[in-house]
């Protein structure tokens, strides 16, 4: 499958440096990418890759079984007016800064709400868990700051405490 570039996407629910956890079970490296519905070039590239994946894997799946969703149908703040793509990988994706230098979690550069360029590809699932078209997360490049989702993963500053 060909790589798909998702430019200037807003990052949501990132687990880029450690695998996600759900109900005590280890998941994958993952995130959700949001891009505006007005970006028809990116939408067309994603849908073309999905259609090619369906054809290559001889899969017939409905819209509810695709990795791309209409953000207007989501209850999350910031999703309206956007397409959302859930993407994951068992292998840690490349995560770089604007100047292409590698980033680590301690850099605190990448967070839920920032803008990134992403590279993904599609794969067809046809197993005991069902038939779907999923997205494989290959890499993330930080583009610019954005309004953090939730608390933005903030921690207390020393000035938040009283002198003793």
């Amino acid at each position: 499958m060909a790589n798909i570039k998702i430019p200037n996407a807003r990052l949501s629910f990132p687990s880029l440096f450690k695998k996600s956890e759900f109900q005590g079970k280890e998941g994958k490296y993952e995130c959700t990418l949001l891009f505006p519905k007005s970006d028809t070039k990116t939408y067309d590239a994603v849908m073309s890759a999905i259609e090619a994946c369906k054809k290559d894997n001889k899969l017939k799946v409905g819209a509810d079984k695709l990795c791309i969703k209409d953000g207007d149908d989501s209850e999350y703040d910031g999703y309206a007016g956007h397409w959302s793509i859930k993407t994951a990988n068992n292998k840690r994706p490349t995560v770089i800064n604007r100047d292409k230098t590698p980033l680590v979690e301690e850099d605190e550069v990448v967070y839920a709400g920032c803008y990134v360029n992403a590279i993904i590809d599609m794969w067809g699932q046809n197993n005991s868990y069902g038939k779907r078209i999923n997205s494989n997360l290959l890499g993330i490049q930080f583009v610019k700051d954005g309004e953090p989702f939730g608390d933005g993963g903030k921690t207390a500053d020393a000035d938040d405490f009283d002198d003793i």
Side-chain angles (χ1 to χ4, degrees):
M1 280 280 126
N3 291 348
I4 306 150
K5 292 183 181 178
I6 311 292
N8 209 34
R10 194 140 181 235
L11 189 63
S12 183
F13 297 106
S15 291
L16 304 173
F17 302 103
K18 293 181 210 156
K19 289 185 176 182
S20 64
E21 280 189 37
F22 184 70
Q23 296 180 341
K25 294 183 180 177
E26 185 178 76
K28 297 180 178 187
Y29 297 98
E30 62 186 20
C31 68
T32 299
L33 302 166
L34 304 172
F35 67 95
K37 288 185 175 181
S38 60
D39 184 354
T40 56
K41 182 179 177 184
T42 299
Y43 178 79
D44 290 345
V46 168
M47 294 310 293
S48 177
I50 286 171
E51 290 305 316
C53 190
K54 283 182 183 180
K55 184 178 178 185
D56 292 348
N57 292 282
K58 297 177 177 66
L59 287 174
K60 291 184 181 179
V61 295
D64 62 323
K65 301 296 183 184
L66 303 178
C67 57
I68 190 168
K69 304 288 182 203
D70 186 335
D72 292 342
D73 296 335
S74 175
E75 72 274 10
Y76 297 118
D77 288 339
Y79 278 52
H82 292 81
W83 293 107
S84 71
I85 298 177
K86 172 83 173 189
T87 185
N89 199 330
N90 282 318
K91 197 174 161 188
R92 187 180 175 276
T94 299
V95 182
I96 59 174
N97 211 334
R98 286 184 281 235
D99 62 2
K100 298 185 181 181
T101 57
L103 290 171
V104 294
E105 187 172 19
E106 292 74 24
D107 293 329
E108 297 183 355
V109 172
V110 179
Y111 56 91
C114 76
Y115 290 84
V116 299
N117 293 328
I119 298 177
I120 64 173
D121 67 9
M122 301 295 166
W123 63 279
Q125 173 184 318
N126 186 1
N127 57 27
S128 62
Y129 296 105
K131 295 180 181 182
R132 304 181 53 84
I133 302 296
N134 296 311
S135 171
N136 198 28
L137 176 62
L138 304 177
I140 294 285
Q141 179 183 33
F142 175 80
V143 172
K144 66 181 180 180
D145 288 314
E147 184 69 29
F149 286 130
D151 68 3
K154 295 179 185 175
T155 58
D157 187 87
D159 292 335
D160 294 335
F161 295 93
D162 296 329
D163 291 332
I164 298 177

